[in-house]
Coordinates of all heavy atoms in Angstrom, one line a residue:
M1 N 0.8 -1.2 0.0 CA 0.0 0.0 0.0 C 0.9 1.2 0.0 O 1.9 1.3 0.6 CB -0.9 0.0 1.2 CG -2.0 -1.1 1.2 SD -3.1 -0.9 -0.2 CE -4.0 -2.5 0.0
T2 N 0.4 2.3 -0.7 CA 1.1 3.5 -0.8 C 0.2 4.6 -1.2 O -1.0 4.4 -1.4 CB 2.3 3.3 -1.8 OG1 3.1 4.4 -1.8 CG2 1.7 3.2 -3.2
Y3 N 0.8 5.8 -1.3 CA 0.0 7.0 -1.7 C -0.1 7.0 -3.3 O 0.9 6.6 -3.9 CB 0.5 8.3 -1.2 CG 0.1 8.4 0.3 CD1 0.8 7.8 1.3 CD2 -1.0 9.2 0.6 CE1 0.5 7.9 2.6 CE2 -1.4 9.4 2.0 CZ -0.6 8.7 3.0 OH -1.0 8.8 4.3
V4 N -1.2 7.5 -3.8 CA -1.4 7.6 -5.2 C -1.9 8.9 -5.7 O -2.7 9.5 -5.0 CB -2.5 6.5 -5.6 CG1 -2.8 6.6 -7.1 CG2 -2.0 5.1 -5.2
I5 N -1.4 9.4 -6.8 CA -1.8 10.7 -7.3 C -2.9 10.5 -8.4 O -2.7 9.7 -9.3 CB -0.7 11.5 -7.9 CG1 0.4 11.8 -6.8 CG2 -1.2 12.8 -8.5 CD1 1.6 12.5 -7.3
T6 N -4.1 11.1 -8.3 CA -5.2 10.8 -9.1 C -5.3 11.9 -10.2 O -4.5 12.9 -10.3 CB -6.5 10.7 -8.3 OG1 -6.7 11.9 -7.6 CG2 -6.4 9.5 -7.4
S7 N -6.4 11.8 -11.0 CA -6.5 12.6 -12.2 C -6.6 14.1 -12.1 O -6.2 14.9 -13.0 CB -7.7 12.1 -13.0 OG -8.9 12.4 -12.4
P8 N -7.0 14.7 -10.9 CA -7.0 16.2 -10.8 C -5.6 16.8 -11.1 O -5.5 17.9 -11.4 CB -7.5 16.4 -9.4 CG -8.4 15.3 -9.1 CD -7.7 14.1 -9.8
C9 N -4.6 15.9 -10.9 CA -3.2 16.4 -11.2 C -2.9 16.7 -12.7 O -2.1 17.5 -13.0 CB -2.2 15.4 -10.6 SG -0.5 15.8 -10.9
T10 N -3.7 16.0 -13.5 CA -3.4 16.0 -14.9 C -3.4 17.5 -15.5 O -4.3 18.3 -15.2 CB -4.5 15.3 -15.7 OG1 -4.6 13.9 -15.2 CG2 -4.2 15.2 -17.2
D11 N -2.3 17.8 -16.1 CA -2.0 19.1 -16.7 C -2.0 20.2 -15.7 O -1.9 21.4 -16.1 CB -3.1 19.4 -17.8 CG -3.1 18.5 -18.9 OD1 -2.0 18.0 -19.2 OD2 -4.1 18.2 -19.5
V12 N -1.9 19.9 -14.4 CA -1.7 20.9 -13.3 C -0.3 20.8 -12.9 O 0.5 21.8 -13.0 CB -2.7 20.7 -12.1 CG1 -2.4 21.6 -11.0 CG2 -4.1 20.8 -12.6
K13 N 0.1 19.6 -12.4 CA 1.4 19.3 -12.0 C 2.1 20.5 -11.2 O 3.1 21.0 -11.6 CB 2.3 19.0 -13.2 CG 1.8 17.7 -13.9 CD 2.8 17.1 -14.8 CE 3.1 17.9 -16.0 NZ 4.0 17.2 -17.0
D14 N 1.4 20.9 -10.1 CA 1.8 22.0 -9.3 C 3.2 21.8 -8.7 O 4.0 22.7 -8.5 CB 0.8 22.2 -8.2 CG 1.2 23.3 -7.2 OD1 1.0 24.5 -7.6 OD2 1.8 23.0 -6.1
R15 N 3.5 20.5 -8.4 CA 4.8 20.0 -7.9 C 5.1 20.4 -6.5 O 6.3 20.3 -6.0 CB 6.0 20.6 -8.8 CG 6.0 19.9 -10.2 CD 7.1 20.5 -11.1 NE 7.1 19.9 -12.4 CZ 7.8 18.9 -12.7 NH1 8.6 18.3 -11.8 NH2 7.8 18.4 -13.9
S16 N 4.1 20.9 -5.8 CA 4.4 21.2 -4.4 C 4.7 20.0 -3.6 O 5.5 20.0 -2.7 CB 3.1 21.9 -3.7 OG 2.8 23.1 -4.3
C17 N 4.1 18.8 -4.1 CA 4.4 17.5 -3.4 C 5.8 17.1 -3.6 O 6.4 16.6 -2.7 CB 3.5 16.5 -4.1 SG 3.6 16.3 -5.9
V18 N 6.4 17.4 -4.7 CA 7.8 17.0 -5.0 C 8.7 17.7 -4.0 O 9.7 17.2 -3.5 CB 8.2 17.4 -6.4 CG1 9.7 17.1 -6.7 CG2 7.3 16.7 -7.4
D19 N 8.4 19.0 -3.7 CA 9.2 19.8 -2.8 C 9.2 19.2 -1.4 O 10.2 19.4 -0.7 CB 8.8 21.2 -2.8 CG 9.0 21.9 -4.1 OD1 9.8 21.5 -4.9 OD2 8.3 23.0 -4.3
V20 N 8.1 18.6 -0.9 CA 8.1 18.2 0.5 C 8.4 16.7 0.6 O 8.6 16.2 1.7 CB 6.7 18.4 1.1 CG1 6.4 19.9 1.1 CG2 5.6 17.7 0.4
C21 N 8.4 15.9 -0.5 CA 8.7 14.5 -0.3 C 10.1 14.2 0.1 O 11.1 14.6 -0.5 CB 8.5 13.8 -1.7 SG 8.7 12.0 -1.6
P22 N 10.2 13.5 1.3 CA 11.6 13.3 1.9 C 12.4 12.3 1.2 O 13.6 12.2 1.4 CB 11.2 12.8 3.3 CG 9.9 12.2 3.2 CD 9.2 13.0 2.2
V23 N 11.8 11.5 0.3 CA 12.6 10.4 -0.4 C 12.6 10.6 -1.9 O 13.0 9.8 -2.7 CB 12.0 9.0 -0.1 CG1 12.3 8.7 1.4 CG2 10.6 8.9 -0.4
D24 N 12.1 11.8 -2.4 CA 12.1 12.1 -3.8 C 11.5 11.0 -4.7 O 12.1 10.6 -5.7 CB 13.6 12.4 -4.3 CG 14.1 13.8 -3.7 OD1 13.2 14.6 -3.4 OD2 15.3 13.9 -3.5
C25 N 10.4 10.5 -4.3 CA 9.8 9.4 -5.0 C 8.7 9.9 -6.0 O 7.9 9.0 -6.5 CB 9.3 8.3 -4.1 SG 7.9 8.8 -3.1
I26 N 8.4 11.2 -6.1 CA 7.4 11.7 -7.0 C 8.0 12.1 -8.3 O 8.9 13.0 -8.3 CB 6.6 12.8 -6.3 CG1 6.1 12.4 -5.0 CG2 5.4 13.3 -7.2 CD1 5.3 13.5 -4.2
H27 N 7.5 11.5 -9.4 CA 8.1 11.8 -10.7 C 7.1 12.3 -11.7 O 5.9 12.1 -11.5 CB 8.8 10.5 -11.2 CG 9.8 9.9 -10.3 ND1 11.1 10.2 -10.3 CD2 9.7 9.0 -9.2 CE1 11.8 9.6 -9.4 NE2 10.9 8.8 -8.7
D28 N 7.6 12.9 -12.8 CA 6.8 13.4 -13.8 C 6.6 12.3 -14.9 O 7.5 11.9 -15.5 CB 7.5 14.6 -14.5 CG 6.5 15.4 -15.4 OD1 5.5 14.8 -15.9 OD2 6.9 16.6 -15.7
S29 N 5.3 11.9 -15.1 CA 5.0 10.8 -16.0 C 4.6 11.4 -17.4 O 4.3 10.7 -18.3 CB 3.9 9.9 -15.5 OG 2.6 10.6 -15.6
G30 N 4.6 12.7 -17.5 CA 4.2 13.3 -18.7 C 2.9 14.2 -18.5 O 3.0 15.4 -18.3
S31 N 1.8 13.5 -18.4 CA 0.5 14.2 -18.2 C 0.3 14.6 -16.8 O -0.4 15.6 -16.5 CB -0.6 13.4 -18.7 OG -0.7 12.2 -18.0
Q32 N 0.9 13.8 -15.8 CA 0.7 14.1 -14.4 C 1.8 13.6 -13.6 O 2.7 12.9 -14.2 CB -0.6 13.4 -13.9 CG -0.6 11.9 -13.9 CD -1.7 11.3 -13.0 OE1 -2.8 11.2 -13.4 NE2 -1.3 10.9 -11.8
M33 N 1.9 13.9 -12.3 CA 2.9 13.4 -11.5 C 2.5 12.0 -11.0 O 1.3 11.7 -10.8 CB 3.1 14.4 -10.3 CG 3.4 15.8 -10.6 SD 4.7 16.0 -11.8 CE 6.2 15.6 -10.8
V34 N 3.5 11.2 -10.7 CA 3.2 9.9 -10.1 C 4.1 9.5 -9.0 O 5.3 10.0 -9.0 CB 3.3 8.8 -11.2 CG1 2.2 8.8 -12.2 CG2 4.6 8.8 -11.9
I35 N 3.6 8.8 -8.0 CA 4.4 8.4 -6.9 C 4.9 6.9 -7.1 O 4.2 6.0 -7.4 CB 3.5 8.4 -5.6 CG1 3.1 9.8 -5.3 CG2 4.3 7.8 -4.4 CD1 2.1 10.0 -4.1
D36 N 6.2 6.8 -6.9 CA 6.8 5.4 -7.0 C 6.4 4.6 -5.8 O 6.7 4.9 -4.7 CB 8.4 5.6 -7.0 CG 9.1 4.2 -7.2 OD1 8.5 3.2 -6.8 OD2 10.2 4.2 -7.8
P37 N 5.5 3.6 -6.1 CA 5.0 2.8 -5.0 C 6.0 2.0 -4.1 O 5.7 1.6 -3.0 CB 4.0 1.9 -5.7 CG 4.5 1.7 -7.1 CD 5.1 3.1 -7.4
V38 N 7.2 1.8 -4.7 CA 8.2 1.1 -3.9 C 9.0 2.0 -3.0 O 9.3 1.7 -1.9 CB 9.1 0.3 -4.9 CG1 10.3 -0.3 -4.1 CG2 8.4 -0.7 -5.7
E39 N 9.3 3.2 -3.6 CA 10.1 4.2 -2.8 C 9.3 4.9 -1.8 O 9.9 5.4 -0.8 CB 10.7 5.2 -3.8 CG 11.7 4.6 -4.8 CD 12.9 4.0 -4.1 OE1 13.4 4.7 -3.2 OE2 13.4 3.0 -4.6
C40 N 8.0 5.1 -2.0 CA 7.2 5.9 -1.0 C 7.2 5.3 0.3 O 7.0 4.1 0.5 CB 5.7 6.0 -1.6 SG 4.6 6.8 -0.4
I41 N 7.4 6.1 1.4 CA 7.5 5.6 2.8 C 6.2 5.9 3.5 O 6.1 5.8 4.7 CB 8.7 6.2 3.5 CG1 8.6 7.8 3.6 CG2 10.0 5.8 2.9 CD1 9.6 8.4 4.5
D42 N 5.1 6.3 2.8 CA 3.8 6.5 3.3 C 3.8 7.5 4.5 O 3.0 7.4 5.4 CB 3.2 5.2 3.9 CG 3.1 4.1 2.8 OD1 3.2 4.5 1.6 OD2 2.9 2.9 3.1
C43 N 4.6 8.6 4.3 CA 4.6 9.6 5.4 C 3.4 10.5 5.3 O 3.1 11.2 6.3 CB 5.9 10.4 5.3 SG 6.0 11.5 3.9
G44 N 2.8 10.7 4.1 CA 1.6 11.6 4.0 C 1.9 13.0 3.9 O 1.0 13.9 3.8
A45 N 3.2 13.4 3.8 CA 3.6 14.8 3.8 C 3.0 15.5 2.5 O 2.8 16.7 2.5 CB 5.1 15.0 3.9
C46 N 2.9 14.8 1.4 CA 2.5 15.4 0.2 C 1.0 15.7 0.1 O 0.6 16.6 -0.6 CB 2.8 14.4 -1.0 SG 2.2 12.8 -0.8
V47 N 0.2 15.0 0.9 CA -1.3 15.1 0.8 C -1.8 16.6 1.0 O -2.5 17.1 0.1 CB -2.0 14.2 1.7 CG1 -3.5 14.4 1.7 CG2 -1.6 12.7 1.4
P48 N -1.4 17.2 2.1 CA -1.9 18.6 2.3 C -1.3 19.6 1.4 O -1.8 20.8 1.3 CB -1.6 18.9 3.8 CG -0.4 18.0 4.0 CD -0.6 16.8 3.2
E49 N -0.2 19.3 0.7 CA 0.4 20.3 -0.2 C -0.2 20.4 -1.5 O -0.1 21.4 -2.2 CB 1.9 19.9 -0.4 CG 2.7 19.8 0.9 CD 2.8 21.2 1.6 OE1 2.8 22.2 0.9 OE2 2.7 21.2 2.8
C50 N -1.0 19.4 -1.9 CA -1.6 19.3 -3.3 C -2.7 20.3 -3.4 O -3.7 20.2 -2.7 CB -2.1 17.9 -3.6 SG -2.8 17.9 -5.3
P51 N -2.6 21.3 -4.3 CA -3.7 22.4 -4.4 C -5.0 21.8 -5.0 O -6.0 22.5 -4.9 CB -3.0 23.4 -5.3 CG -2.1 22.6 -6.1 CD -1.5 21.6 -5.2
V52 N -4.9 20.7 -5.7 CA -6.1 20.1 -6.3 C -6.6 18.8 -5.6 O -7.4 18.1 -6.1 CB -5.9 19.9 -7.8 CG1 -5.8 21.2 -8.5 CG2 -4.7 19.0 -8.0
E53 N -6.0 18.6 -4.4 CA -6.4 17.4 -3.6 C -6.4 16.1 -4.4 O -7.4 15.4 -4.3 CB -7.7 17.7 -2.9 CG -7.7 18.9 -2.0 CD -9.0 19.2 -1.2 OE1 -9.9 18.3 -1.3 OE2 -9.0 20.2 -0.5
A54 N -5.3 15.9 -5.1 CA -5.3 14.7 -6.0 C -4.6 13.5 -5.3 O -4.7 12.4 -5.9 CB -4.5 15.1 -7.2
I55 N -4.1 13.6 -4.1 CA -3.3 12.5 -3.5 C -4.1 11.8 -2.4 O -4.6 12.4 -1.5 CB -2.0 13.0 -3.0 CG1 -1.2 13.9 -4.0 CG2 -1.1 11.9 -2.5 CD1 0.0 14.5 -3.5
F56 N -4.2 10.5 -2.6 CA -4.9 9.7 -1.6 C -4.1 8.4 -1.2 O -3.3 8.0 -2.0 CB -6.2 9.1 -2.2 CG -7.2 10.2 -2.6 CD1 -7.1 10.8 -3.9 CD2 -8.2 10.6 -1.8 CE1 -8.0 11.8 -4.3 CE2 -9.1 11.6 -2.1 CZ -9.0 12.1 -3.4
F57 N -4.3 7.9 0.0 CA -3.8 6.6 0.3 C -4.5 5.6 -0.6 O -5.6 5.8 -0.9 CB -4.0 6.3 1.8 CG -3.1 5.1 2.3 CD1 -1.8 5.2 2.3 CD2 -3.7 3.9 2.7 CE1 -1.0 4.1 2.7 CE2 -3.0 2.9 3.1 CZ -1.6 3.0 3.1
E58 N -3.7 4.6 -1.0 CA -4.3 3.7 -2.0 C -5.6 3.1 -1.7 O -6.5 3.0 -2.5 CB -3.3 2.5 -2.1 CG -3.7 1.5 -3.2 CD -2.6 0.5 -3.5 OE1 -1.5 0.7 -3.1 OE2 -3.0 -0.6 -4.1
T59 N -5.9 2.8 -0.4 CA -7.2 2.2 0.0 C -8.3 3.3 0.0 O -9.5 3.0 0.1 CB -7.1 1.6 1.3 OG1 -6.5 2.5 2.3 CG2 -6.3 0.3 1.3
D60 N -7.9 4.6 -0.1 CA -8.9 5.7 0.0 C -9.1 6.3 -1.4 O -9.9 7.3 -1.5 CB -8.5 6.8 0.9 CG -8.4 6.3 2.4 OD1 -9.2 5.4 2.7 OD2 -7.5 6.8 3.1
V61 N -8.5 5.8 -2.4 CA -8.6 6.3 -3.8 C -10.1 6.2 -4.2 O -10.7 5.1 -4.1 CB -7.7 5.6 -4.8 CG1 -8.1 6.0 -6.2 CG2 -6.3 5.9 -4.5
P62 N -10.8 7.2 -4.7 CA -12.2 7.2 -5.1 C -12.4 6.1 -6.2 O -11.5 5.8 -7.0 CB -12.4 8.6 -5.6 CG -11.4 9.4 -5.0 CD -10.2 8.6 -4.8
D63 N -13.6 5.5 -6.2 CA -13.8 4.4 -7.1 C -13.5 4.8 -8.6 O -13.0 4.0 -9.3 CB -15.3 4.0 -7.0 CG -15.6 3.2 -5.8 OD1 -14.6 2.7 -5.1 OD2 -16.7 3.0 -5.4
G64 N -13.9 6.0 -8.9 CA -13.7 6.5 -10.3 C -12.2 6.7 -10.7 O -11.9 7.0 -11.8
E65 N -11.3 6.6 -9.7 CA -9.9 6.9 -9.9 C -9.0 5.7 -9.7 O -7.8 5.8 -9.6 CB -9.5 8.0 -8.9 CG -10.1 9.3 -9.1 CD -9.5 10.1 -10.3 OE1 -8.5 9.7 -10.8 OE2 -10.1 11.1 -10.7
R66 N -9.6 4.5 -9.7 CA -8.8 3.3 -9.5 C -7.8 3.1 -10.5 O -6.7 2.5 -10.3 CB -9.8 2.0 -9.4 CG -10.8 2.0 -8.3 CD -10.1 2.2 -6.9 NE -9.1 1.2 -6.6 CZ -8.4 1.2 -5.5 NH1 -8.6 2.1 -4.6 NH2 -7.4 0.3 -5.3
E67 N -8.0 3.6 -11.7 CA -7.0 3.4 -12.8 C -5.7 4.2 -12.4 O -4.7 3.9 -13.0 CB -7.5 3.8 -14.1 CG -7.8 5.3 -14.3 CD -8.3 5.6 -15.7 OE1 -9.2 4.8 -16.2 OE2 -7.9 6.7 -16.2
S68 N -5.8 5.1 -11.5 CA -4.6 5.8 -11.1 C -3.6 4.9 -10.4 O -2.4 5.1 -10.5 CB -5.0 7.0 -10.2 OG -5.8 7.9 -10.8
V69 N -4.1 3.9 -9.7 CA -3.3 3.0 -9.0 C -2.5 2.1 -10.0 O -1.3 1.9 -10.0 CB -4.1 2.0 -8.1 CG1 -3.2 1.0 -7.4 CG2 -4.9 2.9 -7.1
A70 N -3.3 1.6 -11.0 CA -2.6 0.8 -12.1 C -1.6 1.6 -12.9 O -0.6 1.1 -13.3 CB -3.7 0.3 -13.0
R71 N -2.0 2.9 -13.1 CA -1.1 3.7 -13.9 C 0.3 3.9 -13.2 O 1.3 3.8 -13.8 CB -1.7 5.1 -14.1 CG -0.8 6.0 -15.0 CD -1.4 7.5 -15.1 NE -2.8 7.5 -15.5 CZ -3.8 7.9 -14.8 NH1 -3.6 8.4 -13.6 NH2 -5.0 7.9 -15.3
A72 N 0.2 4.1 -11.9 CA 1.5 4.3 -11.1 C 2.3 3.0 -11.1 O 3.5 3.0 -11.3 CB 1.2 4.7 -9.7
E73 N 1.6 1.9 -10.9 CA 2.3 0.6 -10.9 C 2.9 0.3 -12.3 O 4.1 -0.2 -12.4 CB 1.4 -0.5 -10.5 CG 0.9 -0.4 -9.1 CD -0.1 -1.5 -8.7 OE1 -0.8 -2.0 -9.6 OE2 -0.3 -1.7 -7.5
S74 N 2.2 0.6 -13.3 CA 2.7 0.4 -14.7 C 3.9 1.3 -15.0 O 4.9 0.8 -15.6 CB 1.5 0.7 -15.7 OG 2.0 0.6 -17.0
F75 N 3.8 2.6 -14.6 CA 4.9 3.5 -14.9 C 6.2 3.1 -14.3 O 7.3 3.3 -14.9 CB 4.5 4.9 -14.4 CG 5.5 6.0 -14.8 CD1 5.5 6.5 -16.1 CD2 6.3 6.5 -13.8 CE1 6.5 7.5 -16.4 CE2 7.3 7.5 -14.1 CZ 7.3 8.0 -15.4
F76 N 6.1 2.5 -13.1 CA 7.3 2.1 -12.4 C 7.6 0.6 -12.6 O 8.4 0.0 -11.9 CB 7.2 2.4 -10.9 CG 7.3 3.9 -10.7 CD1 6.1 4.6 -10.4 CD2 8.4 4.6 -10.8 CE1 6.1 6.0 -10.3 CE2 8.5 6.0 -10.7 CZ 7.3 6.7 -10.4
G77 N 6.9 -0.1 -13.5 CA 7.2 -1.4 -13.8 C 6.8 -2.5 -12.8 O 7.3 -3.6 -12.8
Q78 N 5.8 -2.1 -12.0 CA 5.2 -3.0 -11.0 C 4.0 -3.7 -11.6 O 3.4 -3.2 -12.6 CB 4.8 -2.3 -9.7 CG 5.9 -1.4 -9.1 CD 7.0 -2.3 -8.6 OE1 6.8 -3.3 -7.9 NE2 8.2 -1.9 -9.0
G79 N 3.6 -4.8 -11.0 CA 2.4 -5.5 -11.4 C 2.5 -6.2 -12.8 O 1.6 -6.7 -13.3
N80 N 3.8 -6.4 -13.2 CA 3.9 -7.1 -14.5 C 4.6 -8.5 -14.2 O 5.2 -9.0 -15.1 CB 4.8 -6.3 -15.5 CG 4.1 -5.0 -15.9 OD1 2.9 -5.1 -16.1 ND2 4.8 -4.0 -16.1
G81 N 4.5 -8.9 -13.0 CA 5.2 -10.2 -12.7 C 6.6 -9.9 -12.3 O 7.4 -10.7 -12.1
Ligands
SF4_101 FE1 6.7 11.2 -0.7 FE2 5.6 10.8 1.8 FE3 4.1 11.5 -0.3 FE4 5.1 9.1 -0.2 S1 3.6 9.9 1.2 S2 5.1 10.4 -2.0 S3 7.1 9.5 0.8 S4 5.7 12.8 0.6

């Protein structure tokens, strides 16, 4: 389990989260920022920094945003065996 950045980040990419992340695990995937699920230490520091409230703990990701979880795993090569 880890934190996930959802679709409100798309084309916003404020990057306030990047500035506060202690392990530099938030990367630019192109259209939006994504959190490396392996590197993230689940500190939650990024959540209140996001101006569009796009960051959720994985189990709290809204139903309509579940694909954000798969996108992050795919971007970092997770979930492919
Ligand atoms: Fe970085 Fe902490 Fe946010 Fe994970 S929860 S992305 S470690 S700031």
Side-chain angles (χ1 to χ4, degrees):
M1 293 298 171
T2 189
Y3 282 82
V4 177
I5 300 178
T6 59
S7 68
C9 177
T10 304
D11 297 329
V12 175
K13 297 196 294 187
D14 178 80
R15 294 176 179 268
S16 294
C17 56
V18 176
D19 293 338
V20 299
C21 180
V23 293
D24 290 332
C25 69
I26 305 177
H27 303 271
D28 190 342
S29 75
S31 60
Q32 69 164 79
M33 306 308 289
V34 288
I35 294 172
D36 185 327
V38 173
E39 297 293 323
C40 177
I41 58 172
D42 299 347
C43 72
C46 54
V47 176
E49 299 301 321
C50 181
V52 292
E53 300 182 6
I55 309 175
F56 298 87
F57 192 64
E58 184 174 341
T59 51
D60 297 329
V61 171
D63 286 345
E65 294 284 347
R66 295 306 303 177
E67 67 180 40
S68 296
V69 179
R71 183 186 305 117
E73 292 176 341
S74 173
F75 184 75
F76 292 102
Q78 304 296 311
N80 293 324

